[in-house]
Amino acid sequence: MMRHLFGCAALCLLLAAGSSARTLDLDVHLDVEARRLAASGRFDPPLREFLLDARLTPQPPSAWQRIGEEAGAVRWRAIDGKPKERIDWQGELATLPAARDARQVLGRLPPMADRAGSWLPAASLWHPWAGDEPFSYRVSLDLPATQRALVPGRLLSETLTRRGWHAEFASEQPAIGLDLLAGPWRVGLDDLVLARDRRVSVRSWFTPAVEALAADYRASAARYIAGYSDLIGPYPYAGFNIVAGPLPTGIALPGLTYLGEEVLRLPFIRTISLRHEVLHAWWGNGVEPDWAHGNWSEGLVTLLADHATREEESADAARQLRKDWLRDLAALEPGEDRPLREFRARHDGASQIVGYQKSAFVFLMLRDMLGTQSFNTALRTLWQERQGQRAGWDDLQRVFEQACGCALGPWFTQWLDRPGLPAPRITSARSLIRQHGYRLELDLAQDEPPWLLELPLAIDTPAGVIERRVRFDNAQATVSLELPAQPLTVRLDPQARSARRLSPEETPPALRQVQVAAGVALLLPVRDGDWPGAAREISERWLDTQAHADGSTRLVIGPPAAVDSWLATAGLERPAEVRGGTAQAWAMRGRDGRTLAVITAATPAEAAALGAKLVHYGRFGWVVASDGRVSDRGIWAAPTPAISVLPAP
Ligand SMILES: [Zn+2]
C-alpha cells in the first residue's frame, strides 16, 4: 500500500490554529540554479533573538552574534541588544537527497533547492523563528521565469516579466512556520462554485512530464471538495493546490497537497490519496487534533476517504479493506500495539496500523452503533463548533454523545486506552424448534477483563443468510435469537465490521507480518557474491526494525534452487501460485506456525529491486515481478470459520 507515504509527518505540528496578533511580511528571492536564498522580512513584534537553519546567515553578519546551536539551527541575537523590525538573511540551500527513499523523507529535512523542485519545510527554520506563537503573514516570491512557487494561503497576485516570475500570497489562517514549495511547473486552474456562491480556486502545479494528468487531478479534487462541503460544512479555504514534485512523499498543508510526481500516475493516488488529503482540510488542518492528547484525524479521514472510496466501488471491496486492516492489526507484536490515544503521527508500519487503521475501525463501529445520520450530525456539529481551533478525543466523544443522547465514556475509554483487541469466540451453537420458527442459542466467550462489544453475526439458513447484532460484555454469556428459518451454521462478523483479533485460521500469511515483526533473522542459503549485500539492502529498506541473528521471524533470500532446497529442509514447499516472472516474494507459515517470508530471484540485484517495492504490497501473500515491474500478486484465502449449529439435546 502506498498510503503510508502520505499524510501528516511531524511537520503538521507546525500548523497552528487560532488568531494571532503577530505578523510576518516576507520578500523571498530564490535562485534554484545556484540554490541561493536571499530574503528579507518585517516582523511585528520586532525580534531580538531567533533560530535560523545553519545554512543561512542574517545580514549584515556584523549586526548579529551566534549564541547557540539547536538541532541544525543557529540561535542568533542582535549585537546591540535591540529588537529588529526588519531582518535580512541569505545562504546556500541543500541539494535534494540523493536516495529518494520514502523513509528518509519522513525525517527532519533541510531547506532544499533544485531546478526539478525545491522544498523549504517549515520545520527546517528557513526563516527567522522566534517561538511557536502563531503569526499571520504576507509572502512575496521572486523566482526565475521558468519556475513557480507557493506557500499555503491565498494567491493575491502573479506576474511574469522578462526578469522573472513574481507572486504574492497571504495567510488564511495563522501559522507558526511556513512551507515554501517551488518547481518548473505549469499552473492549471479550475474555479469551483459551491453552495451560496462560495468560490474555490483549484490549481494544479505540475511539471511538463506529468502535466497531461493535471486536468483529471483538478476535476477529482473539485468533486471531493464539493462532496465533503455537503457532508460536513463549507470548504474552509479560498483555494486548493495540488503540487507535484520530485520527493516521493505526501505533504498536507492548509489548502495545499504535495504529491511525489513518480506516483501521480498510479490510479489510486488520484482516487484514494488525493481524496484523503482533501479531507484533511476539515479534519487535521481545519479542526486540528489536540496533539498533546492524541491524533484522531487520521482514523476519521481514513474511514471517510479511503474506506468510502472502497464502499463506493462495492461492498466486497470495502470488506476486503477492513479484512486487510484486521490482518495488519493481528500482525502487531504485543509491544507495538500501543493504545490509540498515544498515537500522534505515523513513524513506522506499527504506528500507522494503530493510528490509521484501528482508529478508522473505532469510527466505523461508532457509526454502526449510532447510525449514519447521528454520526454525520455529530461531525457537522464538531465542524461548526471547532473550525479553526483544536479538538481532542474528549470533544469528539461529547459531540457523538449529544447526537445519540447516550453515554459513551466507557466505550471510548476502552478503545482509546486499552492496548490490543478483543478476541470474542463462539464456543457452541444449538437450535431449538419453536412454534413459529427456531431459537438459536450461542455460547460466547472472551478473555478477562471483558470488552463491551456489539458483535455482528451471520446465520446461514436454508432461506438465506440472516444478519443480527448481539451485545456481549461478559467473559462468558449465552445469547438467544429467534429466527424464522432453521440455523445451519453461524459466522462471527464475516463482514469485518468489528475490531477484533482474528483467529489464526482467519489470518493468512501476509508480507506485512514480516515487515513489522520485532525480530527478523535473515537466512541466506547462498552467502557468496552480492547476496549478503542485497539481503542487507532489503532488510534496511523493507523491515521496520533492523534484522538480527536471534530474530524468531525468518526472512529467506536467495536464488531459486538454493531457496527450494532450504524449503525442503524446513519441511516446506514453494506455493503453486508463486510462479513466473524474474523475482518472487511470498509469506508462508513455517512448521512452527510462525509467518516467514521468502524473496527469490536469479540475481541479487533483482531480489533487491523487488525487496524495495514490498513496502507497498504488505497486505499481499505473494508478489511476482518481471524485469523490475510487479506482474502478479495475491492474497492467501482465509474465510471466516462457520460454526455448525447442532440440535439442542
Ligand atoms: Zn492523513
Side-chain angles (χ1 to χ4, degrees):
M1 294 252 297
M2 189 71 73
R3 174 96 292 284
H4 84 286
L5 292 182
F6 296 88
C8 269
L11 300 172
C12 296
L13 296 169
L14 284 180
L15 301 169
S19 60
S20 160
R22 287 178 68 204
T23 61
L24 173 54
D25 197 335
L26 290 185
D27 282 312
V28 178
H29 294 255
L30 182 61
D31 178 348
V32 294
E33 298 289 337
R35 301 203 314 275
R36 192 137 191 93
L37 175 81
S40 89
R42 289 186 181 280
F43 295 81
D44 180 17
L47 303 184
R48 182 173 48 202
E49 193 180 306
F50 56 82
L51 279 169
L52 188 63
D53 182 84
R55 289 165 190 79
L56 302 164
T57 319
Q59 302 295 316
S62 56
W64 298 91
Q65 75 177 121
R66 300 166 76 104
I67 56 167
E69 209 162 309
E70 295 167 32
V74 174
R75 182 170 287 281
W76 298 91
R77 183 183 290 158
I79 281 187
D80 62 11
K82 291 186 184 142
K84 301 285 178 263
E85 187 188 324
R86 178 180 163 158
I87 299 168
D88 297 345
W89 70 100
Q90 63 182 44
E92 192 176 305
L93 305 183
T95 52
L96 289 181
R100 294 175 184 176
D101 187 295
R103 289 174 179 226
Q104 295 175 10
V105 170
L106 292 175
R108 182 187 182 275
L109 288 169
M112 297 165 287
D114 190 292
R115 80 178 70 147
S118 305
W119 181 25
L120 284 59
S124 73
L125 308 185
W126 63 271
H127 59 78
W129 192 79
D132 59 4
E133 203 187 306
F135 55 82
S136 307
Y137 56 87
R138 190 202 63 86
V139 178
S140 121
L141 300 171
D142 282 284
L143 283 96
T146 52
Q147 293 271 320
R148 300 290 178 272
L150 76 166
V151 296
R154 187 188 295 266
L155 175 59
L156 300 178
S157 69
E158 184 191 11
T159 49
L160 180 64
T161 65
R162 238 179 311 155
R163 298 214 327 277
W165 180 80
H166 173 87
E168 286 193 38
F169 289 83
S171 54
E172 293 189 82
Q173 71 180 53
I176 58 171
L178 273 176
D179 282 80
L180 191 159
L181 295 155
W185 295 317
R186 304 212 175 133
V187 183
L189 168 67
D190 287 335
D191 271 318
L192 170 67
V193 182
L194 297 174
R196 296 197 200 119
D197 208 32
R198 274 182 70 101
R199 276 156 203 276
V200 180
S201 304
V202 180
R203 285 189 179 80
S204 53
W205 308 68
F206 280 31
T207 52
V210 288
E211 199 193 0
L213 304 167
D216 281 348
Y217 268 86
R218 290 196 306 273
S220 294
R223 200 170 67 244
Y224 303 143
I225 289 169
Y228 289 125
S229 294
D230 284 346
L231 183 71
I232 306 163
Y235 178 75
Y237 307 116
F240 182 74
N241 298 287
I242 314 159
V243 183
L247 295 163
T249 187
I251 309 168
L253 298 167
L256 187 162
T257 189
Y258 176 102
L259 298 165
E261 62 188 7
E262 281 179 17
V263 300
L264 280 175
R265 286 191 182 83
L266 300 171
F268 64 84
I269 298 294
R270 183 164 60 81
T271 53
I272 295 172
S273 304
L274 178 66
R275 182 171 180 171
H276 182 108
E277 301 309 342
V278 166
L279 185 52
H280 272 311
W282 284 265
W283 312 128
N285 287 327
V287 179
E288 210 189 340
D290 184 0
W291 298 100
H293 301 105
N295 178 359
W296 45 266
S297 72
E298 294 301 350
L300 186 56
V301 168
T302 299
L303 177 70
L304 297 179
D306 309 41
H307 184 262
T309 302
R310 297 295 192 91
E311 282 177 310
E312 287 158 19
E313 192 183 323
S314 71
D316 199 50
R319 183 186 56 86
Q320 192 59 56
L321 180 65
R322 295 189 298 270
K323 266 264 150 89
D324 291 342
W325 292 347
L326 291 183
R327 284 172 191 150
D328 287 347
L329 281 160
L332 289 179
E333 307 275 339
E336 297 172 325
D337 199 352
R338 307 298 310 157
L340 175 52
R341 203 190 290 275
E342 290 179 12
F343 172 75
R344 304 284 182 274
R346 161 175 54 85
H347 49 84
D348 58 15
S351 59
Q352 184 193 357
I353 289 168
V354 173
Y356 288 61
Q357 303 177 2
K358 181 177 181 180
S359 184
F361 248 112
V362 169
F363 286 110
L364 173 79
M365 291 187 292
L366 195 57
R367 191 172 67 182
D368 281 352
M369 205 162 67
L370 269 51
T372 303
Q373 209 179 341
S374 292
F375 183 84
N376 289 344
T377 301
L379 291 182
R380 278 194 292 273
T381 305
L382 182 69
W383 180 244
Q384 280 158 17
E385 291 181 356
R386 288 305 174 111
Q387 184 185 345
Q389 301 170 47
R390 291 190 173 182
W393 279 110
D394 293 351
D395 299 301
L396 271 75
Q397 182 187 323
R398 190 176 43 74
V399 294
F400 285 116
E401 285 181 334
Q402 271 171 19
C404 70
C406 58
L408 295 168
W411 191 89
F412 266 90
T413 302
Q414 137 184 307
W415 289 109
L416 298 184
D417 296 322
R418 203 170 157 179
L421 289 174
R425 316 173 277 286
I426 301 172
T427 52
S428 70
R430 305 170 291 280
S431 80
L432 289 81
I433 301 174
R434 310 283 291 165
Q435 205 173 358
H436 301 288
Y438 293 81
R439 170 177 291 173
L440 172 63
E441 285 184 357
L442 298 173
D443 294 331
L444 302 173
Q446 62 172 320
D447 297 336
E448 297 271 13
W451 294 69
L452 313 174
L453 300 174
E454 205 181 274
L455 296 175
L457 299 171
I459 301 142
D460 304 295
T461 76
V465 179
I466 298 174
E467 293 188 344
R468 292 286 170 85
R469 302 179 75 88
V470 294
R471 286 188 71 93
F472 176 44
D473 43 24
N474 290 308
Q476 286 179 334
T478 300
V479 296
S480 298
L481 299 166
E482 303 299 329
L483 302 171
Q486 185 188 1
L488 303 173
T489 57
V490 55
R491 289 166 292 149
L492 182 65
D493 191 22
Q495 294 301 319
R497 298 196 77 90
S498 146
R500 63 190 174 92
R501 199 165 71 234
L502 295 178
S503 63
E505 54 199 319
E506 292 175 277
T507 322
L511 290 161
R512 171 112 68 205
Q513 292 158 18
V514 176
Q515 182 198 334
V516 303
V520 177
L522 279 179
L523 301 181
L524 298 177
V526 172
R527 303 204 139 267
D528 48 346
D530 291 333
W531 282 105
R536 213 170 30 248
E537 193 183 325
I538 291 168
S539 112
E540 277 164 14
R541 294 191 68 170
W542 180 41
L543 301 178
D544 272 9
T545 51
Q546 202 72 55
H548 59 85
D550 307 333
S552 54
T553 300
R554 291 167 292 176
L555 170 56
V556 187
I557 300 172
V563 162
D564 286 340
S565 65
W566 182 89
L567 289 170
T569 321
L572 301 168
E573 235 177 276
R574 175 192 290 256
E577 289 85 344
V578 186
R579 54 171 182 254
T582 51
Q584 298 104 17
W586 70 90
M588 68 194 308
R589 209 146 272 158
R591 297 299 287 260
D592 58 358
R594 296 186 66 95
T595 298
L596 62 100
V598 179
I599 301 174
T600 174
T603 67
E606 282 171 307
L610 178 56
K613 291 194 165 67
L614 290 183
V615 72
H616 308 310
Y617 292 89
R619 68 195 188 91
F620 291 96
W622 52 274
V623 177
V624 172
S626 304
D627 303 319
R629 299 180 72 92
V630 170
S631 52
D632 203 2
R633 64 223 190 337
I635 294 172
W636 303 123
T640 307
I643 311 289
S644 296
V645 180
L646 304 172

